[in-house]
Amino acid sequence: WKGTDPPPALAEGSDPAVANSAIEKLFPQFGTSSPAALQQLLSQRPSEVRTVRCNRYHSSAGGALLLGDAAHSTGGALGQGANSALQDVVQLARCLEKCTLERSGEAEVDMPAVLKEFSSTQVAEGLALFQLLQLPPKGPSGLFYQFVQLLLGALINIPGVGRFFPKPTQIMLSQSLTSFSEIVHKNQFWINMATKNIRVIHYEPEQ
C-alpha cells in the first residue's frame, strides 16, 4: 500500500479472517494464508530507512578508521559498494605513503596525520556517493532524467560527434575513473532536484 496507512482489513488488530478475505480478493494467486502467516502480517508495521552520514571517518583519538560500507553505505542501487570500498583502500595507501617519514634509516608513519588526511578527502567522496544514490529524481522530472540519459547514451556512440556530449551518469560510474565528486558536479542540476526534499537530522556527538 502507499504511505504509512495500510488498508483497514490489514491494519493492526484486524480480524485474521477479514484479512484473509481481503488477501484472497486483492491477491488471488496467493490462495489461503495460514493463521501464523496472517498473524505475522497483521503485527508488522511500515518501516523507515535512514542513512547515517559521518563528518569524519576516523576517531579523534586516532585509534580507528571507517571505510567501505561502514563509512558510506550505498544501498546497492548504483552497484558501487565494492568500488567505493576499493577506492577507500587506494586512498588510504596514498595517505600512508604521504605521511611516512624516514628517521634514523627506518620508516615511521604519522598515523594521526594519515587518518586526518584520509577523512579530509574521503568524506567528500562519501557525500557525493550518497547524492548520486538519490538519482533519478522522483516524479515527472525523473522520467525526463532517464530520457536524457538514454539520449546521451545514443549520442556518445555516434562517430565524430559523441566526444562533444557528456557520458551518462551510470557509464561514468561504471566505466571510468572519474571521482564521485566530479560526477556530482557534472550532474548538479539533477542532484539538486533529487535531494531537495530530503530531510536531514543532525546528531551532536556525546562529549
Side-chain angles (χ1 to χ4, degrees):
W1 57 82
K2 295 182 179 180
T4 58
D5 297 322
L10 301 180
E12 186 175 11
S14 296
D15 185 338
V18 174
N20 187 56
S21 297
I23 292 173
E24 290 181 339
K25 180 179 179 181
L26 295 170
F27 311 102
Q29 65 273 26
F30 287 171
T32 301
S33 303
S34 68
L38 284 171
Q39 194 59 49
Q40 181 180 9
L41 174 65
L42 295 176
S43 64
Q44 291 178 346
R45 297 300 93 204
S47 59
E48 182 179 61
V49 176
R50 294 186 179 184
T51 299
V52 176
R53 301 201 305 271
C54 305
N55 59 7
R56 67 175 185 269
Y57 292 162
H58 69 282
S59 72
S60 57
L65 179 72
L66 299 177
L67 52 76
D69 281 349
H72 42 69
S73 176
T74 64
L78 292 176
Q80 294 300 305
N83 287 351
S84 61
L86 289 173
Q87 289 179 22
D88 285 345
V89 172
V90 170
Q91 184 59 33
L92 178 57
R94 290 172 178 167
C95 293
L96 286 167
E97 183 178 4
K98 180 179 179 180
C99 300
T100 299
L101 305 174
E102 289 289 340
R103 291 183 179 177
S104 302
E106 296 184 0
E108 182 176 327
V109 180
D110 184 352
M111 285 307 298
V114 168
L115 302 182
K116 185 176 181 180
E117 177 77 15
F118 179 84
S119 279
S120 68
T121 57
Q122 296 309 102
V123 167
E125 287 298 290
L127 174 59
L129 182 60
F130 168 80
Q131 292 174 322
L132 290 167
L133 186 63
Q134 311 313 309
L135 293 174
K138 303 295 188 292
S141 57
L143 296 176
F144 185 55
Y145 166 83
Q146 293 177 350
F147 169 77
V148 170
Q149 296 297 299
L150 289 173
L151 180 61
L152 289 175
L155 291 173
I156 63 173
N157 290 316
I158 299 177
V161 177
R163 60 191 179 92
F164 295 105
F165 295 94
K167 295 179 181 179
T169 305
Q170 192 59 44
I171 289 181
M172 283 194 285
L173 282 168
S174 60
Q175 301 179 26
S176 77
L177 297 178
T178 307
S179 68
F180 297 133
S181 296
E182 186 175 348
I183 296 175
V184 166
H185 179 71
K186 293 177 181 294
N187 291 271
Q188 196 63 64
F189 173 77
W190 299 112
I191 292 292
N192 290 341
M193 295 188 69
T195 59
K196 63 182 179 180
N197 293 323
I198 291 181
R199 184 168 62 99
V200 177
I201 302 175
H202 296 279
Y203 294 95
E204 293 295 332
E206 296 182 1
Q207 299 299 322

